[in-house]
């Protein structure tokens, strides 16, 4: 009998209807479709419209459909973790609000902030709650309403991001089709390269912080690119090596969707052909914590039981990591 592990037994997702195209962005800032597509791989992204609708709305939609498709009742859920850097509000947590929206009562729920690596951090946390033996059904969400923190006059960043949410269900399993390994890393050297400076305890909102632009997303893209392109490839290669996997053994690489060039570099380093890499950046852009679960959702039907799947991400913090699991259904 194998040790107790956590299996992903369901996945779902949600993207809002509104499509923000490169052509529309051309009318808002000094940019062009050709530059955006060749430098990033993005053609369009989804934006959540509607007053008072935040990240909990996106997460709620994803969880509602996850519960429905896995035939799970809200009162069976023991825990719900929401990875996000665009929480509904400071507190209560987005996870608390999602639980209330979908009728999950009395379960452990909390948010995790690890930027674009957030889903990997939350997945490994959920994995450990299951492996510890106390929980039978844990939902892990990656959800971000990036449009709420983007300055749509800044061409360096406004072309990159979109809104969305993805969610998986984790359940205990003693067979082989479980989460096998995770490497999670961080280095605060990134604190000035991707940041929203204001709104927290260091720079609470004032007229001055607003005027200085402290409340919107800032990224030094070129510096982040250099760290991302090596760190994501290195960590994916490391997880393969310590699990004796070669490129041919990997059924799918599911990478964070920040830039097609970073994805291609990671695949090359892993010796995984691009037809084994999930890529949907062209239609959703970078949805931060949601990119990986949205890919899992979109590729779900192609995955086969026992497939070796590797997740890899890099993001603000810096944070980065890789998770290896065998698909369970
Ligand atoms: O998900 C979290 C982690 N984030 C990442 O992994 C993102 C990593 N970084 C990147 O993906 C890339 O750095 C970007 C896509 C953000 C930018 O691409 P780049 O090739 O690094 O461009 P750059 O910032 O070096 O800018 C090149 C040029 C500049 O003009 P000059 O100085 O060469 O005259 C920019 O001003 O492109 C210009 N530029 C633009 N031109 C048209 C920057 N943004 C735009 C734009 N449209 N939207």
């Amino acid at each position: 009998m194998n040790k107790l592990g956590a299996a992903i037994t369901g996945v779902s997702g949600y993207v809002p209807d509104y499509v923000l195209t490169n052509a529309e962005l051309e009318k808002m800032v000094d940019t062009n479709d050709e530059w955006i597509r060749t430098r990033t791989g993005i053609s369009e992204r989804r934006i959540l419209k509607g007053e008072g609708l935040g990240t909990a709305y996106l997460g709620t939609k994803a969880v509602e459909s996850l519960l429905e498709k896995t035939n799970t009742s809200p009162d069976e859920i023991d825990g719900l973790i929401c990875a996000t850097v665009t929480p509904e509000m400071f507190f209560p947590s987005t996870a608390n609000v999602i639980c209330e929206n979908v009728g999950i009562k009395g379960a452990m729920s909390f948010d995790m902030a690890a930027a674009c690596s957030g889903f990997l951090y939350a997945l490994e946390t959920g994995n450990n709650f299951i492996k510890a033996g106390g929980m039978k059904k844990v939902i892990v969400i990656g959800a971000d309403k990036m449009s709420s923190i983007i300055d749509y006059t800044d061409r360096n960043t406004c072309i990159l991001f979109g809104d969305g949410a993805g969610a998986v269900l984790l359940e205990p399993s003693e067979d082989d089709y479980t989460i096998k390994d995770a490497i999670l890393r961080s280095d605060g050297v990134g604190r000035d390269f991707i940041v929203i400076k204001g709104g927290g305890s260091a720079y609470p909102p004032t007229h001055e912080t607003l005027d200085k632009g402290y409340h919107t997303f800032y990224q030094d893209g070129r510096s982040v690119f250099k760290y991302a392109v090596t760190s994501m490839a290195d960590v994916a290669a490391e997880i393969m090596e310590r699990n004796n996997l070669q490129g041919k053994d990997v059924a799918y690489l599911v990478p964070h969707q920040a830039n097609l060039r970073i994805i291609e570099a990671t695949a090359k380093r892993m010796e995984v052909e691009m037809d084994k890499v999930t890529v949907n950046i062209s239609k959703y852009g970078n949805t931060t914590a949601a990119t990986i679960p949205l890919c899992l959702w979109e590729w779900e039907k192609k995955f086969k039981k026992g497939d070796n799947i590797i997740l890899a991400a890099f993001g603000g913090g810096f944070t980065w990591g890789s998770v290896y699991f065998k698909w369970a259904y």
Side-chain angles (χ1 to χ4, degrees):
M1 196 164 66
N2 286 319
K3 278 201 315 210
L4 187 67
I8 295 176
T9 56
V11 57
S12 199
Y14 174 76
V15 288
D17 294 334
Y18 188 87
V19 179
L20 176 59
T21 61
N22 289 352
E24 196 177 341
L25 283 163
E26 282 177 5
K27 294 183 202 136
M28 295 158 66
V29 289
D30 178 17
T31 190
N32 59 79
D33 175 58
E34 211 260 331
W35 190 97
I36 301 173
R37 277 190 295 101
T38 52
R39 304 310 292 165
T40 71
I42 303 168
S43 298
E44 55 191 46
R45 59 299 278 145
R46 301 300 182 93
I47 304 294
L48 179 61
K49 303 269 187 184
E51 202 186 326
L53 298 184
T55 298
Y57 179 86
L58 300 167
T60 298
K61 289 280 192 191
V63 172
E64 276 172 351
S65 64
L66 179 70
L67 291 172
E68 195 183 323
K69 74 188 271 197
T70 57
N71 209 7
T72 306
S73 152
D75 48 60
E76 292 176 73
I77 301 300
D78 302 305
L80 181 145
I81 308 168
C82 183
T84 186
V85 284
T86 52
E88 186 80 350
M89 55 193 89
F90 261 123
F91 63 86
S93 74
T94 314
N96 298 163
V97 177
I98 293 170
C99 284
E100 172 64 12
N101 288 349
V102 303
I104 296 173
K105 298 279 180 197
M108 170 200 78
S109 74
F110 60 92
D111 290 356
M112 287 191 90
C116 298
S117 312
F119 182 75
L120 301 193
Y121 273 65
L123 186 64
E124 174 61 355
T125 304
N127 178 31
N128 282 304
F129 275 113
I130 297 270
K131 285 201 299 189
M135 294 197 180
K136 300 279 181 250
K137 287 183 197 280
V138 173
I139 291 175
V140 177
I141 307 167
D144 273 298
K145 184 187 171 187
M146 294 304 290
S147 62
S148 66
I149 54 169
I150 295 300
D151 172 0
Y152 283 96
T153 65
D154 176 11
R155 72 172 183 173
N156 291 299
T157 53
C158 73
I159 53 124
L160 299 171
F161 294 95
D163 303 336
V168 299
L169 180 64
L170 294 181
E171 294 183 77
S173 168
E174 285 180 3
D175 65 24
D176 199 31
Y177 310 116
T178 54
I179 296 172
K180 298 291 183 195
D181 198 8
I183 303 173
L184 301 173
R185 302 209 193 285
S186 72
D187 184 340
V189 71
R191 60 179 287 177
D192 295 326
F193 294 126
I194 318 185
V195 62
I196 295 183
K197 207 166 176 178
S201 51
Y203 297 100
T206 62
H207 289 291
E208 199 189 344
T209 60
L210 261 179
D211 292 343
K212 285 181 170 167
Y214 280 11
H215 299 281
T216 48
F217 182 97
Y218 168 79
Q219 174 172 254
D220 172 352
R222 211 174 292 190
S223 301
V224 176
F225 188 92
K226 281 189 206 144
Y227 281 97
V229 80
T230 49
S231 304
M232 205 162 112
D234 284 352
V235 77
E238 186 183 343
I239 211 162
M240 285 173 71
E241 201 178 317
R242 76 184 198 185
N243 289 281
N244 298 315
L245 294 171
Q246 294 180 338
K248 64 177 171 37
D249 305 317
V250 175
Y252 286 95
L253 162 65
V254 182
H256 171 52
Q257 314 277 308
N259 188 314
L260 185 57
R261 290 179 288 146
I262 298 172
I263 294 171
E264 286 168 346
T266 303
K268 193 169 173 205
R269 176 76 191 282
M270 295 168 69
E271 296 182 359
V272 170
E273 298 296 328
M274 281 306 287
D275 63 348
K276 300 284 184 180
V277 183
T278 67
V279 182
N280 61 12
I281 189 171
S282 73
K283 51 184 187 175
Y284 300 143
N286 183 348
T287 55
T288 302
T291 61
I292 288 176
L294 281 174
C295 282
L296 294 176
W297 178 46
E298 190 169 341
W299 266 262
E300 180 190 21
K301 289 202 167 63
K302 294 199 176 144
F303 296 156
K304 290 194 236 24
K305 189 169 181 172
D307 274 354
N308 287 319
I309 297 180
I310 298 215
L311 315 180
F314 182 91
F318 296 128
T319 55
W320 67 103
S322 187
V323 173
Y324 159 46
F325 62 85
K326 282 186 183 286
W327 192 249
Y329 59 97

